[in-house]
């Protein structure tokens, strides 16, 4: 498959709900704990190194970063959660921005949740997934860094995690992924493309 996200461009970083770009087309968001491998996954999926660099720029890590695709649809990098060295107040502000975005964004058609396959479905991941299920937002989980595990071990984690996922939200699916060796790249792209072809409401 040729890269379906070629030509993706950074549009805007947002730290307050009032700054959200006007809704246009449909969008797919990426969420995950800090260090889970979200930036690497976005880079791999879009075939662009500069995108994640943008999100990692100091000052941008706590923002919602919007990327535009040539067809007008968008990919959205949500701030990583669970970063230990952040004050309670900051965590609360961050959480509120994330929750407000997820709750109010009409054009949002799905959330890709990135988790380190060696530590899948932590408490924060589960609250996000359950919450998405409650508001009817489909979730696709990427259990990433699977190159760090044997095939057998990774397959076992996928099987048990899928069970837990479905118990949390019927609208959830999951797969193994590796930004390092490309495992699961096509499957993940297909899921995102399927969401992006959702007709605009
Ligand atoms: P983020 O904070 O969620 O954006 O995480 P990063 O994408 O910056 O990745 C965190 C660390 O995990 C970095 O050292 C990456 O090189 C590493 N990493 C990310 N994805 C993979 C992967 O698929 N395989 C392996 N082995 N390491 C990965």
């Amino acid at each position: 498959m040729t890269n379906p996200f070629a030509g993706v461009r950074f549009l805007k970083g947002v730290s307050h709900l009032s700054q959200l770009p006007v809704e246009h087309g449909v969008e797919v968001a990426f969420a995950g704990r800090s260090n889970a491998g979200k930036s690497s996954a976005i880079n791999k999926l879009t075939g662009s190194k500069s995108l994640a660099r943008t999100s990692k720029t100091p000052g941008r890590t706590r923002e919602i970063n919007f990327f535009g695709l040539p067809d007008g649809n968008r990919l959205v990098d949500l701030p990583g959660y669970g970063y230990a060295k952040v004050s309670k107040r900051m965590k609360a502000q961050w959480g509120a921005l994330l929750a407000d975005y997820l709750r109010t964004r009409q054009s949002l058609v799905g959330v890709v949740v990135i988790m380190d396959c060696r530590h899948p479905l932590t408490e924060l991941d589960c609250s996000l997934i359950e919450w998405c299920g409650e508001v009817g937002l489909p979730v696709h989980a990427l259990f990433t860094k699977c190159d760090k595990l044997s095939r057998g071990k990774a397959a076992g984690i996928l099987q048990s995690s899928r069970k837990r996922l479905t118990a949390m939200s019927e609208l959830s699916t999951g797969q193994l992924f590796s930004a390092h060796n490309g495992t699961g790249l096509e499957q993940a792209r297909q899921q995102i493309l399927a969401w992006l072809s959702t007709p605009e409401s």
Side-chain angles (χ1 to χ4, degrees), residues 121 129-130 133 139 141 143 158-174:
L121 299 166
I129 293 163
E130 281 170 356
V139 162
F143 300 106
L158 177 62
Q159 199 182 19
S160 57
S161 301
R162 271 185 174 154
K163 270 197 200 131
R164 289 181 62 198
L165 266 181
T166 335
M168 278 183 260
S169 160
E170 285 176 8
L171 294 172
S172 61
T173 48

Side-chain angles (χ1 to χ4, degrees), residues 89-161:
R89 189 165 156 258
M90 208 159 228
K91 273 188 192 158
Q93 277 177 6
W94 226 342
L97 176 65
L98 205 75
D100 282 347
Y101 165 78
L102 291 169
R103 208 183 53 234
T104 58
R105 199 71 172 165
Q106 296 293 318
S107 44
L108 181 62
V109 290
V111 182
V112 180
V113 179
I114 287 114
M115 291 170 269
D116 186 325
C117 67
R118 297 164 302 172
H119 319 284
L121 299 166
T122 65
E123 206 179 318
L124 286 171
D125 299 319
C126 293
S127 9
L128 173 69
I129 293 163
E130 281 170 356
W131 189 86
C132 286
E134 279 165 26
V135 299
L137 256 179
V139 162
H140 186 65
L142 294 188
F143 300 106
T144 191
K145 308 193 193 181
C146 72
D147 57 282
K148 297 227 183 203
L149 297 177
S150 70
R151 276 188 178 218
K153 179 109 194 190
I157 288 178
L158 177 62
Q159 199 182 19
S160 57
S161 301

